[in-house]
Amino acid sequence: MIKKVMACIDASPYAEAVCDYSVWAANRLSAPLSMLHILDKAQHTNTPDLSGTIGLGSQEILLEQLAELDEKHAKLALERGRHILSAAKARAETAGIAEVDERLRHGHFVQSLLELEEETRLLVLGKRGFSSADAHGQLGLHVEGLIRSTQKPVLLTQQHFVEPTSLLMAYDGSETATKSLNMLAESPLCKGLPCHLVMAGADVEAARAQLEQAAGKLRSEGFEVTVAIVAGEPDVVLNQYQQDHDIGLLVMGAYGHSRIRQFFLGSTTTAMISKAKSSLLVLR
């Protein structure tokens, strides 16, 4: 089965950037592109459930009216979804992508994407969706749940497309980070982009040795690599490093600790994503 770049398109301000980043990724991966819009009833139906507060005399009539209103909401959401997908496909075709299909699915956002994993190579979606587009500094409603659940790489975009000309790989020497580094090295997605391999922590000999070993893997695959160790909390200093060096793409592994440890220690992945000022590629 040919695996595709799946672009999750909605009515948020992130839609055009998602489309453009998915075009960029499809070109670099030489992969077909699928424009996907998911109709989640919980999001597109705004009619409240008033069945418990309606008086006996008017209950039947009002419930019928609410059901009709729900049906209208659903039809409008379906029509809007078709228009969104049509516009996204046209944008991708104008950018030169020959293979673009449109998919309109009903269901829960995360579950719908998990059902498509077998044919997915890369997921592209906005940092926030339509329902949370203005919640600056926070993640979208389904982002964390998706990254925890999927086994596919996820490219999270900001609101505006900026073609990456360099990348920052967050590396801590862990098994998760090493696996992610190997994925990066072997994929054509970022080949040719200068890489900053950066570790947050104390600048000690053991850390330097880990970084140099990891850098050797990337260099053997043709990457130009700069290594650095920066002191401080990863979500703060790595994002600051990215801004100081004008790096267009952050790359990191997802959730290296157990859910119990994350409950007590917090999650570096979630914090990094929330504070990131550039697009971010999360590898599994």
Side-chain angles (χ1 to χ4, degrees), residues 1-147:
M1 178 183 292
I2 298 176
K3 297 186 182 295
K4 301 181 178 183
V5 173
M6 293 282 182
C8 302
I9 306 292
D10 63 5
S12 75
Y14 291 79
E16 289 187 354
V18 169
C19 185
D20 293 344
Y21 273 104
S22 65
V23 166
W24 171 80
N27 277 326
R28 294 189 67 91
L29 294 170
S30 298
L33 176 57
S34 189
M35 296 295 179
L36 175 66
H37 182 70
I38 298 171
L39 291 169
D40 189 330
K41 187 177 186 298
Q43 294 183 55
H44 72 244
T45 302
N46 299 315
T47 307
D49 180 7
L50 302 177
S51 58
T53 60
I54 298 174
L56 291 177
S58 58
Q59 182 171 342
E60 184 175 350
I61 294 175
L62 286 178
L63 286 177
E64 288 178 359
Q65 292 175 340
L66 288 172
E68 291 175 2
L69 189 56
D70 279 347
E71 185 177 354
K72 289 180 181 179
H73 277 305
K75 288 181 178 179
L76 288 172
L78 183 63
E79 183 178 354
R80 181 177 67 177
R82 288 172 176 159
H83 282 296
I84 290 171
L85 287 176
S86 178
K89 180 179 180 180
R91 188 179 182 94
E93 289 176 337
T94 300
I97 300 295
E99 288 188 73
V100 188
D101 64 41
E102 304 171 49
R103 299 190 181 200
L104 189 62
R105 291 177 67 96
H106 293 79
H108 185 269
F109 183 81
V110 174
Q111 186 58 41
S112 295
L113 291 174
L114 294 179
E115 290 169 358
L116 293 170
E117 272 199 329
E118 187 177 349
E119 55 186 295
T120 300
R121 186 166 182 182
L122 172 70
L123 286 167
V124 185
L125 64 151
K127 184 177 176 181
R128 288 181 289 275
F130 177 71
S131 61
S132 55
D134 295 327
H136 301 294
Q138 300 180 32
L139 296 184
L141 181 63
H142 298 301
V143 170
E144 185 173 354
L146 173 64
I147 294 175

Side-chain angles (χ1 to χ4, degrees), residues 225-278:
V225 183
T226 300
V227 298
I229 297 177
V230 288
E233 293 298 319
D235 56 296
V236 176
V237 297
L238 294 178
N239 280 309
Q240 187 61 53
Y241 185 100
Q242 173 266 320
Q243 293 177 66
D244 291 344
H245 293 80
D246 194 26
I247 296 170
L249 180 66
L250 289 173
V251 182
M252 65 181 300
Y255 302 107
H257 299 307
S258 70
R259 295 293 294 271
I260 294 176
R261 286 195 65 189
Q262 289 169 29
F263 180 81
F264 291 105
L265 302 176
S267 170
T268 299
T269 306
T270 301
M272 281 285 294
I273 296 171
S274 299
K275 296 178 181 179
K277 302 299 183 183
S278 70

Side-chain angles (χ1 to χ4, degrees), residues 131-243:
S131 61
S132 55
D134 295 327
H136 301 294
Q138 300 180 32
L139 296 184
L141 181 63
H142 298 301
V143 170
E144 185 173 354
L146 173 64
I147 294 175
R148 290 188 186 277
S149 302
T150 186
Q151 296 303 309
K152 299 298 179 178
V154 177
L155 177 57
L156 292 172
T157 80
Q158 299 292 344
Q159 287 192 23
H160 303 287
F161 173 70
V162 179
E163 182 171 351
T165 56
S166 61
L167 67 93
L168 185 159
M169 173 84 189
Y171 188 75
D172 63 4
S174 66
E175 181 179 349
T176 298
T178 300
K179 180 181 177 182
S180 298
L181 183 134
N182 289 335
M183 290 178 62
L184 176 69
E186 295 164 7
S187 170
L189 182 63
C190 296
K191 285 289 176 66
L193 299 183
C195 174
H196 292 250
L197 190 62
V198 186
M199 180 180 287
D203 191 349
V204 297
E205 185 176 348
R208 283 281 168 187
Q210 283 185 319
L211 269 183
E212 287 300 333
Q213 183 177 6
K217 170 65 177 178
L218 291 174
R219 289 174 180 138
S220 70
E221 296 291 340
F223 283 85
E224 174 190 332
V225 183
T226 300
V227 298
I229 297 177
V230 288
E233 293 298 319
D235 56 296
V236 176
V237 297
L238 294 178
N239 280 309
Q240 187 61 53
Y241 185 100
Q242 173 266 320
Q243 293 177 66

